[in-house]
Amino acid sequence: MTLNKEIRVAISGKSGCGNTTVSTLLSQKLGVKLINYTFRQLAAEKNMTLAQVIEAAKNDDSYDKYVDKHQVELALAEPCVLGSRLAIWMLKEADLKVYLYASDETRARRVYNREGGDLQAIKDFTAMRDREDTGRYKAFYGIDNNDYNFVDIIIDVNDKTPEEIVNIILDKLVEKGLITL
């Protein structure tokens, strides 16, 4: 596989859609850096626990804004796959913008299969998290994360494996002349 330029791929989707898995696999296939800078990395840098960062972020917008800004800075520094909830909106310079769509049911089942627990409780938590995320993104950036029709490709991931999703993205990169297989 040959990169025809220093490519940057932005991949977004709601929790449980496979964003991290797909972004990781794609970055490995392309031989570029994966950028998935989150509260977890921020906590490590600040010598805080993840729980402390999450708690602090409830009353201080600077945590969210730093993570969002920093991941774009990292993405602009080198060819990469940026996988995050806001990647397709924040990385304006992306050569390919991908949105992974999964139904609420599929997303909840994936979280359940990964972490266990009570399926209905997971569905309820996921719905609450979606509402909170949407509200935060609108308040911080004026972004409606339910409006992603501007992307290069929307992939319905409900019945696809991560490998199938990555192959769809690779085909799109070839179609756009960004890579040669």
Side-chain angles (χ1 to χ4, degrees):
M1 181 173 319
T2 305
L3 302 183
N4 296 335
K5 66 175 295 248
E6 287 197 349
I7 65 172
R8 286 163 184 84
V9 178
I11 302 177
S12 293
K14 294 184 179 180
S15 64
C17 70
N19 193 357
T20 302
T21 302
V22 168
S23 296
T24 301
L25 287 172
L26 182 64
S27 71
Q28 291 167 350
K29 287 251 189 193
L30 293 173
V32 299
K33 185 171 184 172
L34 168 67
I35 298 175
N36 187 9
Y37 188 84
T38 64
F39 276 175
R40 193 174 305 282
Q41 286 82 16
L42 180 61
E45 288 176 12
K46 290 184 164 286
N47 291 319
M48 296 170 70
T49 67
L50 177 58
Q52 287 172 323
V53 170
I54 290 169
E55 189 58 35
K58 288 180 181 177
N59 300 311
D60 184 348
D61 297 349
S62 69
Y63 288 88
D64 276 290
K65 290 179 180 177
Y66 176 78
V67 166
D68 296 336
K69 179 175 170 262
H70 190 59
Q71 66 185 357
V72 170
E73 291 169 348
L74 292 169
L76 292 175
E78 63 187 299
C80 66
V81 174
L82 173 60
S84 80
R85 300 257 166 73
L86 291 179
I88 60 173
W89 291 274
M90 300 297 278
L91 187 58
K92 307 276 189 238
E93 300 81 357
D95 297 292
L96 185 71
K97 294 180 181 182
V98 180
Y99 187 83
L100 304 180
Y101 169 80
S103 70
D104 294 346
E105 179 73 23
T106 296
R107 293 169 46 228
R109 285 204 176 283
R110 287 181 178 177
V111 172
Y112 173 79
N113 291 338
R114 184 177 64 219
E115 300 170 12
D118 175 78
L119 185 58
Q120 187 57 51
I122 292 169
K123 287 180 184 178
D124 294 344
F125 177 79
T126 301
M128 179 272 301
R129 186 175 178 187
D130 288 347
R131 282 191 306 276
E132 287 186 1
D133 285 351
T134 297
R136 239 183 18 262
Y137 303 152
K138 280 185 181 174
F140 290 174
Y141 307 113
I143 290 171
D144 177 357
N145 68 325
N146 294 305
D147 178 13
Y148 44 83
N149 289 318
F150 61 90
V151 300
D152 297 294
I153 184 169
I154 298 168
I155 304 173
D156 182 330
V157 301
N158 285 295
D159 59 355
K160 292 179 181 61
T161 66
E163 292 76 16
E164 289 171 326
I165 298 163
V166 167
N167 286 334
I168 291 168
I169 297 169
L170 290 172
D171 288 346
K172 189 68 171 180
L173 288 166
V174 168
E175 180 187 310
K176 288 188 74 155
L178 297 168
I179 65 169
T180 306
L181 295 178

